[in-house]
Amino acid sequence: MGRICCAAPAKINLALHVIGRRADGYHELETLVAFTPYGDRVTVEAQPFGEQQPGGLRLTGPFAEGLNAESDNLVLRAEQALRSSVGGNPPAVAITLEKNLPIASGLGGGSADAAAALIALKAWWRLPETFDLSPVAATLGADVPMCVASRPLLASGVGERIRPLRDLPAHPVVLVNPGVALSTPAVFAALDRRDNPPIGLAGDAFPDVENLAALRNDLEPAAAALQPLIGEVLALLRAQEGCRLARMSGSGATSFALFDEPAQAEAARRAMIDSRPGWWCVATQLMPGEMTRRLCEHQASDTDQSGSQQ
Ligand code: C5P
């Protein structure tokens, strides 16, 4: 029987432009998104665990304590949504969520977890390859469809319209969160303006670093006003040798910095940890499209290959 283990890569908004607002209050966006091999991990196996867990969800990993395993957890909502959408009462499952990403941090962790659960359950329930997860994903949150795609892309609409992009280099990247959570609705509500210029990308190539630098995260000023530590994180990242671009991701409070060489990213990570030991800081890389095919793996039940993080 075994189990199915699916990576839930961190999502990084390399640029995010807020270009309008819909009648339902959601914001029209254009965002350039990439993913990292570093992230959470969702494992699906047959019920029950040795001991029964509430709601069929077990939480592990360094950020497990910030979550609960109640039915409003996005992973369980994903399981329920896919179960209803396929019908026929597919077998009960036990799900384990290894939470390595900080909660409410602008890295799309909850959305990535929901997407990984959908991908793992599609495989576990042997749904046809052609079964499209996007409609179910869209009911779970604006970022869930892009996390199902988990590849370099441009998302528009409220985030649900996805255009795959090519030519993103595997840039080394450092992610830093100063240990504060930010509420996404609060950041959107604090925006000064909602009619900023679009990214306006022509073609299907991912912009290079120089062109990315000319773009923005329109949520950054609002988030930094709510949480001034974000300004401090960005200033420290920009002072690191080899930093090509530092910017906040999503609605914060995590920021990223792009480098050319892995050694520069690792040196920056060490320097950040030395100067701010309480901050969460990892060095990883952006995933070019082709790496994302390795997202999901079948494991035999008596082995534990629970996966190393890069
Ligand atoms: O869709 P999701 O639950 O991830 O969004 C969380 C909140 O973020 C929404 O309730 C909304 O306040 C805000 N949001 C928005 N415009 C978007 C995406 C999210 O206003 N495009």
Side-chain angles (χ1 to χ4, degrees):
M1 196 81 128
R3 59 190 174 208
I4 286 178
C5 207
C6 195
K11 171 218 67 173
I12 302 178
N13 300 90
L14 292 168
L16 191 161
H17 290 202
V18 178
I19 60 176
R21 194 177 200 182
R22 300 196 315 198
D24 66 2
Y26 267 74
H27 292 76
E28 298 264 3
L29 312 172
E30 274 198 325
T31 178
L32 285 161
V33 173
F35 293 82
T36 71
Y38 194 94
D40 296 339
R41 183 168 285 269
V42 172
T43 303
V44 169
E45 58 200 319
Q47 278 273 42
F49 292 118
E51 72 227 58
Q52 194 72 27
Q53 298 292 321
L57 179 65
R58 182 169 55 172
L59 298 168
T60 65
F63 290 101
E65 276 162 27
L67 287 179
N68 66 52
E70 303 301 319
S71 58
D72 62 345
N73 184 292
L74 209 48
V75 166
L76 291 177
R77 284 179 47 211
E79 195 256 348
Q80 283 306 320
L82 188 60
R83 177 180 291 283
S84 320
S85 128
V86 298
N89 200 21
V93 289
I95 305 180
T96 303
L97 170 59
E98 181 187 314
K99 196 72 205 159
N100 300 310
L101 296 171
I103 314 293
S105 65
L107 296 174
S111 303
D113 300 341
L118 293 177
I119 293 167
L121 287 165
K122 176 176 169 178
W124 186 257
W125 287 334
R126 298 178 197 274
L127 301 181
E129 192 59 40
T130 51
F131 185 93
D132 183 9
L133 292 171
S134 315
V136 181
T139 66
L140 297 166
D143 285 355
V144 184
M146 67 179 89
C147 290
V148 168
S150 273
R151 53 154 300 135
L153 55 86
L154 175 78
S156 57
V158 296
E160 84 292 1
R161 280 209 304 273
I162 286 167
R163 187 160 124 209
L165 298 179
R166 56 174 174 79
D167 296 345
L168 177 71
H171 269 294
V173 61
V174 172
L175 306 173
V176 180
N177 185 289
V180 292
L182 267 177
S183 143
T184 300
V187 174
F188 274 106
L191 284 173
D192 276 343
R193 52 183 303 174
R194 299 174 165 84
D195 57 349
N196 304 290
I199 291 175
L201 186 71
D204 61 356
F206 213 100
D208 61 17
V209 184
E210 283 75 23
N211 284 311
L212 282 174
L215 301 173
R216 315 174 302 274
N217 180 346
D218 286 328
L219 299 179
E220 194 178 287
L226 291 171
Q227 184 44 261
L229 278 177
I230 291 168
E232 206 179 305
V233 170
L234 287 168
L236 269 170
L237 282 173
R238 287 179 184 131
Q240 302 304 313
E241 194 176 332
C243 171
R244 300 284 308 278
L245 168 68
R247 181 170 282 157
M248 191 183 81
S249 178
S251 57
T254 306
S255 292
F256 67 87
L258 298 185
F259 296 83
D260 288 325
E261 301 297 332
Q264 294 171 325
E266 179 54 25
R269 184 189 72 83
R270 284 175 192 276
M272 297 293 288
I273 283 180
D274 284 349
S275 70
R276 298 290 189 283
W279 289 4
W280 177 82
C281 186
V282 301
T284 177
Q285 65 178 89
L286 302 182
M287 288 199 293
E290 67 271 17
M291 283 177 64
T292 60
R293 288 194 211 108
R294 291 184 228 140
L295 276 180
C296 220
E297 62 180 352
H298 236 115
Q299 294 179 353
S301 51
D302 53 352
T303 56
D304 184 8
Q305 311 157 25
S306 53
S308 58
Q309 297 284 344
Q310 297 181 41

